[in-house]
Coordinates of all heavy atoms in Angstrom, one line a residue:
M1 N 0.9 -1.2 0.0 CA 0.0 0.0 0.1 C 0.9 1.2 0.1 O 2.0 1.2 0.6 CB -0.9 0.0 1.2 CG -1.9 -1.1 1.3 SD -3.2 -1.1 0.1 CE -4.2 0.3 0.6
G2 N 0.3 2.3 -0.6 CA 1.2 3.6 -0.7 C 0.1 4.7 -0.5 O -1.1 4.5 -0.7
Q3 N 0.6 5.8 -0.4 CA -0.2 7.0 -0.4 C 0.5 8.2 -0.8 O 1.7 8.4 -0.7 CB -0.6 7.4 1.2 CG -1.5 8.4 1.3 CD -2.2 8.5 2.6 OE1 -2.6 7.5 3.2 NE2 -2.3 9.7 3.2
Y4 N -0.1 9.0 -1.6 CA 0.5 10.2 -2.2 C -0.3 11.5 -2.1 O -1.6 11.4 -2.1 CB 0.7 9.9 -3.8 CG 1.7 8.9 -4.1 CD1 1.3 7.5 -4.5 CD2 3.1 9.1 -4.0 CE1 2.2 6.7 -4.8 CE2 3.9 8.1 -4.3 CZ 3.4 6.9 -4.7 OH 4.3 5.9 -4.9
R5 N 0.3 12.6 -2.0 CA -0.4 13.8 -2.2 C 0.0 14.3 -3.6 O 1.0 14.3 -4.2 CB 0.3 14.9 -1.2 CG -0.3 16.4 -1.2 CD -1.7 16.4 -0.8 NE -2.0 15.7 0.6 CZ -2.1 16.2 1.7 NH1 -2.1 17.5 1.8 NH2 -2.4 15.5 2.8
I6 N -1.3 14.7 -4.3 CA -1.1 14.9 -5.8 C -1.6 16.5 -5.8 O -2.9 16.7 -5.4 CB -1.9 14.0 -6.6 CG1 -1.5 12.5 -6.3 CG2 -1.8 14.4 -8.1 CD1 -2.5 11.4 -6.6
V7 N -1.0 17.3 -6.5 CA -1.5 18.6 -6.8 C -1.5 18.7 -8.4 O -0.4 18.5 -9.0 CB -0.6 19.6 -6.3 CG1 -1.1 21.1 -6.6 CG2 -0.6 19.6 -4.7
V8 N -2.7 18.9 -8.9 CA -2.9 19.0 -10.4 C -3.0 20.5 -10.7 O -3.8 21.1 -10.3 CB -4.2 18.2 -10.8 CG1 -4.3 18.2 -12.3 CG2 -4.1 16.8 -10.2
S9 N -2.3 20.9 -11.7 CA -2.2 22.3 -12.2 C -2.7 22.3 -13.7 O -2.6 21.3 -14.4 CB -1.0 23.1 -11.9 OG 0.0 22.4 -12.6
G10 N -3.3 23.4 -14.1 CA -3.7 23.7 -15.4 C -5.2 24.2 -15.4 O -5.6 24.8 -14.5
R11 N -5.9 23.9 -16.4 CA -7.4 24.3 -16.3 C -8.1 23.1 -15.7 O -8.6 22.2 -16.3 CB -8.0 24.5 -17.8 CG -9.4 25.1 -17.7 CD -9.9 25.5 -19.0 NE -10.0 24.3 -19.9 CZ -9.4 24.1 -21.1 NH1 -8.8 25.1 -21.5 NH2 -9.6 23.0 -21.8
V12 N -8.2 23.0 -14.4 CA -8.7 22.0 -13.6 C -9.8 22.3 -12.6 O -10.4 21.5 -12.0 CB -7.6 21.1 -12.9 CG1 -6.8 20.5 -13.8 CG2 -6.8 22.0 -12.0
Q13 N -10.2 23.7 -12.5 CA -11.3 24.0 -11.7 C -12.3 24.6 -12.6 O -12.1 25.3 -13.6 CB -10.8 25.2 -10.7 CG -10.0 24.7 -9.6 CD -9.9 25.6 -8.4 OE1 -10.6 26.6 -8.4 NE2 -8.8 25.3 -7.6
G14 N -13.6 24.3 -12.3 CA -14.8 24.8 -13.0 C -15.0 23.8 -14.2 O -15.8 24.3 -15.1
V15 N -14.4 22.7 -14.3 CA -14.5 21.8 -15.5 C -15.0 20.4 -15.0 O -14.9 19.4 -15.6 CB -13.3 21.8 -16.3 CG1 -13.1 23.1 -16.9 CG2 -12.1 21.2 -15.5
G16 N -15.3 20.2 -13.7 CA -15.8 18.9 -13.2 C -14.7 18.0 -12.8 O -14.8 16.8 -12.8
F17 N -13.5 18.5 -12.6 CA -12.3 17.7 -12.3 C -12.4 17.0 -11.0 O -12.0 15.8 -10.9 CB -11.0 18.6 -12.4 CG -9.8 17.7 -12.7 CD1 -9.4 17.3 -13.8 CD2 -9.0 17.3 -11.6 CE1 -8.3 16.6 -14.1 CE2 -7.8 16.5 -11.7 CZ -7.5 16.2 -13.1
R18 N -12.9 17.6 -10.0 CA -13.0 16.9 -8.7 C -14.0 15.7 -8.8 O -13.7 14.7 -8.2 CB -13.6 17.8 -7.6 CG -12.5 18.9 -7.2 CD -13.1 19.7 -6.1 NE -14.3 20.5 -6.8 CZ -15.2 21.0 -6.0 NH1 -15.3 20.9 -4.8 NH2 -16.2 21.6 -6.6
Y19 N -15.1 15.8 -9.6 CA -16.0 14.6 -9.8 C -15.4 13.6 -10.6 O -15.7 12.5 -10.4 CB -17.4 15.3 -10.3 CG -18.0 16.2 -9.3 CD1 -17.8 17.5 -9.5 CD2 -18.7 15.5 -8.3 CE1 -18.4 18.4 -8.5 CE2 -19.3 16.4 -7.3 CZ -19.3 17.7 -7.4 OH -19.8 18.5 -6.5
F20 N -14.6 14.0 -11.6 CA -13.8 13.0 -12.4 C -12.9 12.4 -11.6 O -12.8 11.1 -11.6 CB -13.1 13.9 -13.5 CG -12.0 13.1 -14.2 CD1 -12.4 12.0 -15.1 CD2 -10.7 13.2 -13.9 CE1 -11.4 11.3 -15.8 CE2 -9.7 12.5 -14.6 CZ -10.1 11.6 -15.5
T21 N -12.2 13.0 -10.6 CA -11.2 12.3 -9.7 C -11.9 11.4 -8.8 O -11.5 10.3 -8.6 CB -10.5 13.4 -8.8 OG1 -9.9 14.3 -9.8 CG2 -9.6 12.8 -7.9
L22 N -13.1 11.8 -8.3 CA -13.9 11.0 -7.5 C -14.3 9.7 -8.3 O -14.2 8.5 -7.7 CB -15.3 11.6 -6.9 CG -16.3 10.7 -6.3 CD1 -15.7 10.2 -5.0 CD2 -17.5 11.6 -6.1
S23 N -14.7 9.8 -9.5 CA -15.2 8.6 -10.2 C -14.0 7.6 -10.6 O -14.1 6.5 -10.5 CB -15.8 9.0 -11.5 OG -14.9 9.5 -12.4
K24 N -12.8 8.3 -10.8 CA -11.5 7.4 -11.1 C -11.2 6.7 -9.8 O -10.8 5.6 -9.8 CB -10.5 8.2 -11.7 CG -10.7 8.7 -13.1 CD -11.0 7.5 -14.0 CE -11.4 7.9 -15.4 NZ -11.6 6.6 -16.2
A25 N -11.3 7.4 -8.6 CA -10.9 6.9 -7.3 C -11.9 5.6 -7.0 O -11.3 4.7 -6.6 CB -11.1 7.9 -6.2
L26 N -13.1 5.8 -7.3 CA -14.1 4.7 -7.1 C -13.8 3.5 -8.1 O -13.8 2.4 -7.8 CB -15.5 5.1 -7.4 CG -16.0 6.1 -6.3 CD1 -17.5 6.6 -6.7 CD2 -16.0 5.5 -4.9
E27 N -13.4 3.8 -9.4 CA -13.0 2.9 -10.4 C -11.8 2.0 -9.8 O -11.9 0.8 -10.2 CB -12.8 3.6 -11.8 CG -12.3 2.6 -12.9 CD -12.1 3.3 -14.2 OE1 -12.6 4.5 -14.3 OE2 -11.3 2.7 -15.0
F28 N -10.9 2.6 -9.4 CA -9.6 2.1 -9.0 C -9.5 1.6 -7.6 O -8.4 1.2 -7.1 CB -8.3 2.8 -9.5 CG -8.3 3.0 -11.0 CD1 -8.5 4.4 -11.5 CD2 -8.2 2.1 -11.8 CE1 -8.4 4.5 -12.8 CE2 -8.1 2.2 -13.2 CZ -8.2 3.5 -13.7
D29 N -10.6 1.9 -6.8 CA -10.7 1.6 -5.4 C -9.6 2.3 -4.6 O -8.8 1.7 -3.7 CB -10.5 0.0 -5.1 CG -11.0 -0.4 -3.7 OD1 -11.8 0.3 -3.1 OD2 -10.5 -1.4 -3.2
I30 N -9.4 3.5 -4.9 CA -8.5 4.4 -4.3 C -9.3 5.1 -2.9 O -10.5 5.4 -3.0 CB -8.0 5.7 -5.1 CG1 -7.3 5.0 -6.3 CG2 -7.3 6.7 -4.3 CD1 -6.0 4.4 -5.8
K31 N -8.6 5.3 -1.8 CA -9.1 5.9 -0.7 C -8.5 7.3 -0.5 O -7.4 7.5 -1.0 CB -8.9 5.1 0.5 CG -9.2 3.6 0.5 CD -10.7 3.4 0.4 CE -11.1 1.9 0.5 NZ -11.7 1.4 -0.6
G32 N -9.3 8.2 0.0 CA -8.8 9.5 0.2 C -9.7 10.7 0.0 O -10.9 10.6 0.4
W33 N -9.3 11.8 -0.5 CA -10.0 13.0 -0.8 C -9.5 13.8 -1.9 O -8.4 13.7 -2.3 CB -10.2 13.8 0.4 CG -8.9 14.1 1.1 CD1 -8.3 13.5 2.2 CD2 -8.1 15.2 0.9 NE1 -7.1 14.1 2.5 CE2 -6.9 15.2 1.7 CE3 -8.0 16.2 -0.2 CZ2 -5.9 16.2 1.6 CZ3 -7.0 17.2 -0.2 CH2 -5.9 17.1 0.7
V34 N -10.4 14.7 -2.4 CA -10.0 15.6 -3.4 C -10.5 17.1 -3.1 O -11.6 17.1 -2.5 CB -10.3 15.3 -4.8 CG1 -11.8 15.1 -5.0 CG2 -9.6 16.2 -5.9
R35 N -9.9 18.2 -3.4 CA -10.4 19.5 -3.1 C -9.8 20.5 -4.0 O -8.7 20.4 -4.6 CB -10.2 19.9 -1.7 CG -8.7 20.1 -1.3 CD -8.5 20.6 0.0 NE -7.2 20.7 0.5 CZ -6.6 20.7 1.6 NH1 -7.6 20.7 2.6 NH2 -5.4 20.8 1.9
N36 N -10.5 21.7 -4.2 CA -10.0 22.8 -4.9 C -9.1 23.6 -4.0 O -9.5 23.7 -2.8 CB -11.1 23.7 -5.5 CG -11.8 23.1 -6.7 OD1 -11.3 22.3 -7.4 ND2 -13.0 23.6 -7.0
R37 N -8.0 24.1 -4.6 CA -7.2 25.0 -3.7 C -7.4 26.5 -4.3 O -7.8 26.7 -5.4 CB -5.8 24.7 -3.8 CG -5.5 23.3 -3.1 CD -4.1 22.8 -3.2 NE -3.1 23.6 -3.5 CZ -1.8 23.4 -3.3 NH1 -1.5 22.3 -2.7 NH2 -0.8 24.2 -3.7
E38 N -7.2 27.5 -3.4 CA -7.3 28.9 -3.8 C -6.5 29.3 -5.0 O -6.8 30.2 -5.6 CB -7.1 29.7 -2.6 CG -8.1 29.7 -1.5 CD -7.9 30.6 -0.3 OE1 -7.2 31.6 -0.6 OE2 -8.6 30.4 0.7
D39 N -5.3 28.6 -5.2 CA -4.4 29.0 -6.3 C -4.9 28.6 -7.6 O -4.1 28.8 -8.7 CB -3.0 28.7 -6.0 CG -2.9 27.2 -5.9 OD1 -3.7 26.3 -6.1 OD2 -1.6 26.7 -5.7
G40 N -6.1 27.9 -7.8 CA -6.5 27.3 -9.0 C -6.2 25.8 -9.3 O -6.5 25.3 -10.3
T41 N -5.4 25.2 -8.4 CA -5.0 23.9 -8.7 C -6.1 23.0 -7.9 O -6.9 23.5 -7.1 CB -3.5 23.6 -8.0 OG1 -3.6 23.9 -6.6 CG2 -2.6 24.4 -8.7
V42 N -5.9 21.6 -8.1 CA -6.8 20.7 -7.4 C -5.7 19.7 -6.7 O -4.7 19.4 -7.2 CB -7.6 19.8 -8.3 CG1 -8.3 18.7 -7.7 CG2 -8.7 20.7 -9.0
E43 N -6.0 19.6 -5.5 CA -5.2 18.7 -4.6 C -6.0 17.5 -4.2 O -7.1 17.5 -3.9 CB -4.8 19.5 -3.3 CG -4.0 18.7 -2.3 CD -3.7 19.6 -1.2 OE1 -4.5 20.5 -0.8 OE2 -2.8 19.3 -0.4
A44 N -5.2 16.3 -4.1 CA -5.9 15.0 -3.7 C -4.9 14.3 -2.7 O -3.6 14.4 -2.9 CB -6.1 14.2 -4.9
S45 N -5.4 13.6 -1.9 CA -4.6 12.6 -1.1 C -5.1 11.3 -1.5 O -6.4 11.0 -1.3 CB -4.8 12.8 0.5 OG -3.8 11.9 1.2
A46 N -4.3 10.3 -1.9 CA -4.8 9.0 -2.5 C -4.0 7.9 -1.9 O -2.7 7.9 -1.9 CB -4.6 9.0 -4.1
S47 N -4.7 6.9 -1.5 CA -4.1 5.7 -0.8 C -4.6 4.4 -1.5 O -5.8 4.4 -1.8 CB -4.5 5.6 0.6 OG -4.1 4.6 1.2
G48 N -3.7 3.5 -1.8 CA -4.1 2.2 -2.5 C -2.8 1.4 -2.8 O -1.7 1.8 -2.3
T49 N -3.0 0.4 -3.6 CA -1.8 -0.4 -3.9 C -1.1 0.4 -4.9 O -1.6 1.3 -5.5 CB -2.1 -1.8 -4.5 OG1 -2.8 -1.6 -5.8 CG2 -3.0 -2.5 -3.6
E50 N 0.2 -0.1 -5.2 CA 1.0 0.7 -6.2 C 0.3 0.6 -7.6 O 0.4 1.7 -8.3 CB 2.4 0.3 -6.2 CG 3.2 0.7 -4.9 CD 3.3 2.2 -4.8 OE1 3.4 2.9 -5.8 OE2 3.2 2.6 -3.6
S51 N -0.2 -0.5 -7.9 CA -0.9 -0.7 -9.2 C -2.1 0.2 -9.3 O -2.3 0.9 -10.3 CB -1.3 -2.2 -9.4 OG -1.8 -2.4 -10.5
Q52 N -2.9 0.2 -8.3 CA -4.1 1.2 -8.3 C -3.7 2.5 -8.3 O -4.3 3.3 -9.1 CB -4.9 0.9 -6.9 CG -5.6 -0.4 -6.9 CD -6.1 -0.6 -5.4 OE1 -5.4 -0.4 -4.5 NE2 -7.2 -1.3 -5.3
L53 N -2.7 2.9 -7.6 CA -2.3 4.3 -7.6 C -1.8 4.8 -9.0 O -2.0 5.8 -9.5 CB -1.3 4.6 -6.6 CG -1.8 4.6 -5.2 CD1 -0.7 4.4 -4.1 CD2 -2.6 5.9 -4.9
S54 N -1.0 3.8 -9.7 CA -0.4 4.1 -10.9 C -1.6 4.3 -12.0 O -1.4 5.3 -12.7 CB 0.5 2.9 -11.4 OG 1.0 3.0 -12.7
D55 N -2.5 3.5 -12.0 CA -3.6 3.7 -12.9 C -4.4 5.0 -12.6 O -4.9 5.6 -13.6 CB -4.6 2.4 -12.8 CG -4.0 1.1 -13.4 OD1 -3.1 1.3 -14.2 OD2 -4.4 0.1 -13.0
F56 N -4.6 5.2 -11.4 CA -5.4 6.5 -11.0 C -4.6 7.7 -11.3 O -5.1 8.6 -12.0 CB -5.5 6.5 -9.4 CG -6.1 7.6 -8.8 CD1 -7.5 7.9 -9.0 CD2 -5.4 8.5 -8.0 CE1 -8.0 9.1 -8.4 CE2 -6.0 9.6 -7.4 CZ -7.3 9.9 -7.7
I57 N -3.3 7.7 -11.0 CA -2.5 8.9 -11.5 C -2.4 9.0 -13.0 O -2.5 10.2 -13.6 CB -1.0 8.7 -10.9 CG1 -1.1 9.0 -9.3 CG2 -0.1 9.8 -11.4 CD1 0.1 8.5 -8.6
A58 N -2.4 8.0 -13.7 CA -2.3 8.1 -15.1 C -3.5 8.6 -15.7 O -3.6 9.5 -16.7 CB -2.2 6.7 -15.8
S59 N -4.8 8.3 -15.1 CA -6.0 8.9 -15.5 C -6.1 10.4 -15.2 O -6.7 11.2 -15.9 CB -7.1 8.0 -15.0 OG -7.2 8.2 -13.5
L60 N -5.6 10.7 -14.0 CA -5.6 12.2 -13.7 C -4.7 13.1 -14.7 O -5.0 14.2 -15.0 CB -5.0 12.4 -12.3 CG -5.9 11.9 -11.1 CD1 -5.3 12.3 -9.8 CD2 -7.3 12.2 -11.2
R61 N -3.5 12.3 -15.0 CA -2.8 13.1 -16.1 C -3.4 13.4 -17.4 O -3.2 14.3 -17.9 CB -1.5 12.1 -16.4 CG -0.3 12.7 -16.0 CD 1.0 11.7 -16.4 NE 1.6 11.2 -15.3 CZ 2.4 12.0 -14.6 NH1 2.5 13.2 -14.6 NH2 3.0 11.4 -13.4
R62 N -4.3 12.4 -17.9 CA -5.1 12.6 -19.0 C -6.2 13.6 -18.8 O -6.6 14.3 -19.8 CB -5.6 11.2 -19.5 CG -4.5 10.3 -20.2 CD -5.2 9.1 -20.7 NE -6.0 8.2 -19.7 CZ -5.5 7.3 -19.0 NH1 -4.1 7.0 -19.1 NH2 -6.2 6.5 -18.3
G63 N -6.7 13.7 -17.6 CA -7.9 14.5 -17.4 C -9.1 14.2 -18.1 O -9.3 13.1 -18.6
T64 N -10.0 15.3 -18.4 CA -11.2 15.0 -19.1 C -11.1 15.9 -20.4 O -10.1 16.7 -20.5 CB -12.4 15.6 -18.3 OG1 -12.5 17.1 -18.3 CG2 -12.5 15.1 -16.8
R65 N -12.1 15.8 -21.2 CA -12.1 16.6 -22.4 C -12.3 18.1 -22.2 O -12.0 18.9 -23.0 CB -13.0 16.1 -23.5 CG -14.5 16.2 -23.0 CD -15.4 15.6 -24.0 NE -16.7 15.5 -23.6 CZ -17.8 15.9 -24.3 NH1 -17.6 16.3 -25.6 NH2 -19.1 15.9 -23.8
F66 N -12.7 18.4 -20.9 CA -13.0 19.9 -20.6 C -11.8 20.4 -19.9 O -11.6 21.7 -19.7 CB -14.3 20.1 -19.7 CG -15.4 19.5 -20.4 CD1 -16.0 18.3 -20.0 CD2 -16.0 20.1 -21.6 CE1 -17.2 17.8 -20.6 CE2 -17.1 19.5 -22.2 CZ -17.8 18.4 -21.7
S67 N -10.9 19.6 -19.4 CA -9.8 20.0 -18.6 C -8.5 20.1 -19.4 O -8.4 19.6 -20.5 CB -9.4 19.2 -17.4 OG -9.1 17.8 -17.7
L68 N -7.5 20.8 -18.9 CA -6.2 20.8 -19.5 C -5.2 20.6 -18.4 O -4.9 21.6 -17.7 CB -5.9 22.1 -20.3 CG -4.5 22.2 -20.9 CD1 -4.2 21.1 -21.9 CD2 -4.4 23.6 -21.5
V69 N -4.7 19.4 -18.2 CA -3.7 19.2 -17.1 C -2.3 19.6 -17.6 O -1.9 19.0 -18.6 CB -3.8 17.7 -16.8 CG1 -2.7 17.4 -15.7 CG2 -5.2 17.3 -16.1
E70 N -1.7 20.4 -16.9 CA -0.4 21.0 -17.4 C 0.7 20.2 -16.5 O 1.8 20.1 -17.0 CB -0.3 22.5 -17.1 CG -1.1 23.2 -18.2 CD -1.1 24.7 -17.9 OE1 -0.5 25.2 -16.9 OE2 -1.8 25.4 -18.7
N71 N 0.4 19.9 -15.2 CA 1.5 19.3 -14.4 C 0.8 18.6 -13.2 O -0.3 19.0 -12.7 CB 2.4 20.5 -13.8 CG 3.6 20.0 -13.1 OD1 4.2 19.0 -13.7 ND2 3.8 20.4 -11.9
L72 N 1.5 17.6 -12.8 CA 1.0 16.8 -11.6 C 2.3 16.8 -10.7 O 3.4 16.4 -11.1 CB 0.7 15.3 -11.9 CG -0.7 15.0 -12.0 CD1 -1.4 15.6 -13.1 CD2 -0.9 13.5 -12.0
E73 N 2.2 17.4 -9.4 CA 3.2 17.3 -8.4 C 2.8 16.1 -7.5 O 1.7 16.2 -6.8 CB 3.0 18.6 -7.7 CG 4.4 19.2 -7.3 CD 4.1 20.5 -6.7 OE1 3.9 21.5 -7.3 OE2 4.0 20.6 -5.4
I74 N 3.6 15.1 -7.5 CA 3.3 13.9 -6.6 C 4.3 13.7 -5.5 O 5.5 13.7 -5.8 CB 3.3 12.7 -7.5 CG1 2.3 12.9 -8.7 CG2 3.0 11.4 -6.8 CD1 2.4 11.9 -9.9
T75 N 3.8 13.7 -4.3 CA 4.6 13.6 -3.2 C 4.2 12.4 -2.3 O 3.1 12.4 -1.8 CB 4.5 14.8 -2.2 OG1 4.7 16.0 -3.1 CG2 5.5 14.8 -1.0
P76 N 5.2 11.5 -2.1 CA 4.8 10.3 -1.1 C 4.4 10.8 0.3 O 4.9 11.9 0.8 CB 6.1 9.5 -1.1 CG 6.9 10.0 -2.3 CD 6.5 11.5 -2.4
E77 N 3.5 10.3 0.9 CA 2.9 10.5 2.2 C 2.9 9.2 2.9 O 3.0 8.0 2.4 CB 1.5 10.9 2.3 CG 1.3 12.3 1.6 CD -0.1 12.8 1.8 OE1 -1.1 12.0 1.5 OE2 -0.3 13.9 2.2
E78 N 3.0 9.3 4.3 CA 2.9 8.0 5.2 C 1.5 7.6 5.1 O 0.6 8.4 5.4 CB 3.3 8.5 6.6 CG 3.2 7.3 7.6 CD 3.4 7.6 9.0 OE1 3.9 8.8 9.2 OE2 3.0 6.9 9.8
D79 N 1.3 6.4 4.8 CA -0.1 5.7 4.8 C -0.5 5.3 6.2 O 0.1 4.3 6.8 CB -0.1 4.6 3.9 CG -1.5 3.9 3.6 OD1 -2.5 4.4 4.3 OD2 -1.7 3.1 2.9
R80 N -1.4 6.0 6.8 CA -1.7 5.8 8.1 C -3.1 5.1 8.3 O -3.5 4.8 9.3 CB -1.8 7.1 9.0 CG -0.5 7.9 9.1 CD -0.6 9.2 9.9 NE -1.5 10.2 9.2 CZ -1.3 11.0 8.3 NH1 0.0 11.1 7.9 NH2 -2.2 11.8 7.8
G81 N -3.5 4.6 7.1 CA -4.8 3.9 7.0 C -6.0 4.6 7.6 O -6.9 4.1 8.1
E82 N -5.9 5.9 7.3 CA -7.0 6.7 8.0 C -8.2 6.9 7.1 O -9.3 7.4 7.5 CB -6.4 8.1 8.2 CG -5.9 8.9 7.1 CD -5.0 10.1 7.2 OE1 -5.7 11.2 7.5 OE2 -3.8 9.9 7.2
Y83 N -8.2 6.5 5.8 CA -9.3 6.7 4.9 C -10.2 5.4 4.7 O -9.7 4.4 4.5 CB -8.8 7.1 3.5 CG -7.8 8.4 3.5 CD1 -6.7 8.4 2.8 CD2 -8.3 9.6 4.2 CE1 -5.9 9.5 2.9 CE2 -7.5 10.6 4.2 CZ -6.2 10.6 3.5 OH -5.4 11.8 3.6
A84 N -11.5 5.7 4.8 CA -12.4 4.6 4.7 C -13.0 4.5 3.3 O -13.5 3.6 2.8 CB -13.5 4.7 5.7
G85 N -13.0 5.7 2.7 CA -13.5 5.8 1.3 C -12.9 7.0 0.6 O -11.8 7.4 1.0
F86 N -13.4 7.5 -0.5 CA -13.0 8.7 -1.2 C -14.1 9.7 -1.1 O -15.3 9.4 -1.5 CB -12.5 8.4 -2.7 CG -11.6 9.3 -3.2 CD1 -10.3 9.3 -3.1 CD2 -12.2 10.5 -4.0 CE1 -9.5 10.2 -3.7 CE2 -11.3 11.4 -4.5 CZ -9.9 11.2 -4.4
R87 N -13.7 11.0 -0.9 CA -14.6 12.0 -0.9 C -14.2 13.3 -1.4 O -12.8 13.6 -1.6 CB -15.2 12.2 0.5 CG -14.2 12.8 1.4 CD -14.8 13.0 2.9 NE -13.7 13.4 3.9 CZ -13.7 14.6 4.3 NH1 -14.6 15.5 4.1 NH2 -12.7 15.0 5.1
I88 N -15.1 14.3 -1.7 CA -14.8 15.6 -2.3 C -14.8 16.4 -0.9 O -15.8 16.5 -0.3 CB -15.7 16.1 -3.3 CG1 -15.5 15.2 -4.6 CG2 -15.5 17.5 -3.7 CD1 -16.5 15.5 -5.7
K89 N -13.9 17.2 -0.8 CA -13.8 18.2 0.5 C -14.4 19.4 0.0 O -14.2 20.0 -1.1 CB -12.5 18.3 1.0 CG -11.9 17.2 1.8 CD -10.6 17.6 2.4 CE -10.2 16.7 3.5 NZ -9.1 17.2 4.2

């Protein structure tokens, strides 16, 4: 199991990116959360197996047809087993 903090930059607010992230988290059985940040980026904390996280991150990189993902900042976090599901903050 692993856990990452992911900050997505580009045109990712006002285009349904958080709901897209939620749907991908459910698809790949990722636990954690996602939220908009004041600087226009979207931040997520994601926990799962390395395979699940790899697929999840790849889907975030592609984004939706309405978004334009310019960069993903991915930082490992300590997995404390604190997430029961995935939610939008």
